[in-house]
Amino acid sequence: MTRYRLTLLPGDGIGPEITAVARQLLDAVSARHGFALDYDEQPVGGAAIDATGVPLPEATLEACRASDAVLLAAIGGYQYDALPREQRPETGLLALRSGLGLFANLRPVKILSALIDASSLRPEVIRGVDLLVVRELTGGIYFGTPKGRVEADGHVRAFNTMAYSDDEIDRIARVGFELAAQRGGRLCSVDKANVLDVSQLWRDRVEAIHADYPAVELSHMYVDNAAMQLVRDPRQFDVLLTSNLFGDILSDEAAMLTGSIGMLPSASLGSEGPGLFEPVHGSAPDIAGTDKANPLAMVLSAAMLLRIGLHQGAAAADLERAVDRVLEAGYRTGDLAAEGATVLGCQAMGEQLLAVL
Ligand code: NAD
């Protein structure tokens, strides 16, 4: 029997509650599809600060590196907010991403028909939306140098540098084309090539890499137009490929098409080694320990882990179908509840998912 090694990082706040649900479902679905999962649970974020004094212990990073895929819940809590930056939970997450060399961030946005009324947009605009934002995660203006703040001639000036090299663009473009080829076959690259030199290089390289993926239809869009098109007609998109800064903004905009942060999974991938799969939401300290968390983003992250991280697409589809069916049956966690819904806690939602699996 094929065995995979998963590192589980429950983290803080609602993290342990939603991890427990995901783990039960992973056990059930792996048994059904004839593979086995060995878990290695490790502390990260505030939990790691409490246990070891640092937000990313070396042992946690080593365990992640030695595994086939990593499933992270969320990190952070108010009690850590006053600590120096290098000791904060968020620093552990950034160190984990860079320690695993994760340069590609994937955020799928799919409107489930049962939740169509949760969006702030009209149902006819969002019905059937199924898009994927592919964001470059380790370059661009967040990391470019020089950066800083200077004082001269009685004024203060601050600056950052938006820079990409051809190899950084090529590798993220390949991720975008590969994923488009596995989905609807359309890639829209978003830039600001009418104004920025760095965007012109981005566009040139994306065109060059397109030669290796002739079956994928490539288009380009300026970022300001993309922001508009995402709310005007989001159905036109299959895969959106973009840089770190533009992707940060557009992926949050795209996420909100669904109207519910408790539903959104993500994946971060490197050129080799395990990917990191995690819900988009944070640790929700306001509801931690009250059994009110929505575990569905975590379950959908586990499905991404199965499909992308372990190439177990049929098992992933089972998990996604279970989420659809439970919602269609009218079950909701508090964050999603509308009139007439049956409101369940985190654990009970997990039990319903297991039942329909
Ligand atoms: P958050 O996503 O934790 O919470 C925002 C709101 O959404 C809260 O009202 C919360 O109760 C609700 N919410 C979030 N996820 C939910 C779920 N699964 N089910 C039900 N309700 C849910 O964001 P925040 O409040 O800005 O941050 C809280 C902490 O999380 C901070 O310490 C922050 O740094 C951290 N954070 C971590 C990550 C991560 O681990 N990737 C991401 C964002 C924020």
Side-chain angles (χ1 to χ4, degrees):
M1 186 190 276
T2 310
R3 301 192 81 86
Y4 300 101
R5 192 160 163 197
L6 295 193
T7 304
L8 292 184
L9 306 175
D12 306 320
I14 60 171
E17 300 164 55
I18 60 176
T19 303
V21 170
R23 185 172 171 160
Q24 279 180 320
L25 287 160
L26 282 168
D27 281 338
V29 88
S30 56
R32 154 136 29 123
H33 287 272
F35 58 91
L37 299 173
D38 297 321
Y39 305 101
D40 183 4
E41 202 166 301
Q42 295 284 339
V44 71
I49 295 171
D50 294 345
T52 70
V54 293
L56 180 65
E58 194 55 36
T60 296
L61 182 57
E62 281 313 312
C64 292
R65 286 194 175 127
S67 60
D68 294 301
V70 181
L71 184 62
L72 166 72
I75 52 89
Y78 309 131
Q79 66 271 45
Y80 308 106
D81 286 352
L83 291 173
R85 182 154 304 283
E86 66 281 4
Q87 285 169 28
R88 297 238 193 111
E90 292 76 6
T91 305
L93 185 54
L94 293 181
L96 179 63
R97 287 177 181 152
S98 75
L100 294 176
L102 306 172
F103 68 86
N105 182 238
L106 279 46
R107 276 213 208 169
V109 175
K110 192 171 175 180
I111 306 289
L112 304 176
S113 49
L115 292 184
I116 204 148
D117 293 323
S119 176
S120 54
L121 295 185
R122 291 198 307 275
E124 63 267 30
V125 176
I126 56 163
R127 184 168 285 117
V129 164
D130 182 1
L131 62 84
L132 174 68
V133 180
V134 177
R135 166 189 171 196
E136 202 288 327
L137 203 56
T138 53
I141 197 162
Y142 292 172
F143 295 92
T145 50
K147 62 176 181 174
R149 204 170 149 126
V150 290
E151 277 182 48
D153 305 327
H155 292 284
V156 186
R157 214 167 73 82
F159 51 94
N160 292 86
T161 301
M162 187 188 271
Y164 273 111
S165 56
D166 53 1
D167 54 328
E168 286 176 302
I169 302 168
D170 290 3
R171 66 181 185 175
I172 189 74
R174 285 192 189 285
V175 171
F177 280 113
E178 302 269 350
L179 289 164
Q182 291 163 27
R183 292 174 43 103
R186 289 180 296 120
L187 182 77
C188 177
S189 172
V190 176
D191 61 37
K192 190 72 183 168
N194 49 344
V195 178
L196 300 174
D197 293 328
V198 58
S199 276
Q200 188 57 55
L201 177 64
W202 179 279
R203 192 173 280 218
D204 294 347
R205 292 313 309 165
V206 171
E207 298 250 341
I209 300 296
H210 186 206
D212 293 341
Y213 302 89
V216 175
E217 186 188 311
L218 171 66
S219 60
H220 301 278
M221 196 177 273
Y222 297 134
V223 62
D224 41 348
N225 188 25
M228 196 167 70
Q229 295 299 329
L230 266 174
V231 286
R232 194 187 73 88
D233 177 20
R235 258 192 306 256
Q236 69 185 285
F237 297 114
D238 178 20
V239 177
L240 278 160
L241 169 71
T242 192
S243 60
N244 205 345
L245 172 65
F246 299 159
D248 193 0
I249 299 164
L250 292 181
S251 62
D252 268 20
E253 186 191 359
M256 270 303 109
L257 297 174
T258 67
S260 44
I261 194 157
M263 293 299 301
L264 296 161
S266 76
S268 302
L269 310 175
S271 351
E272 52 189 27
L276 175 70
F277 301 83
E278 56 177 317
V280 166
H281 61 72
S283 57
D286 52 332
I287 56 166
T290 63
D291 194 38
K292 285 190 184 143
N294 177 354
L296 297 180
M298 183 68 167
V299 172
L300 293 171
S301 301
M304 283 188 95
L305 178 152
L306 291 170
R307 177 174 291 112
I308 299 172
L310 307 183
H311 306 290
Q312 293 286 352
D318 269 6
L319 277 192
E320 289 161 352
R321 242 190 325 270
V323 170
D324 280 350
R325 287 179 54 192
V326 163
L327 291 170
E328 270 157 22
Y331 295 111
R332 301 283 188 275
T333 42
D335 56 310
L336 299 173
E339 234 171 277
T342 310
V343 179
L344 299 181
C346 180
Q347 252 186 324
M349 185 55 112
E351 282 154 22
Q352 282 302 328
L353 288 165
L354 272 179
V356 302
L357 254 188

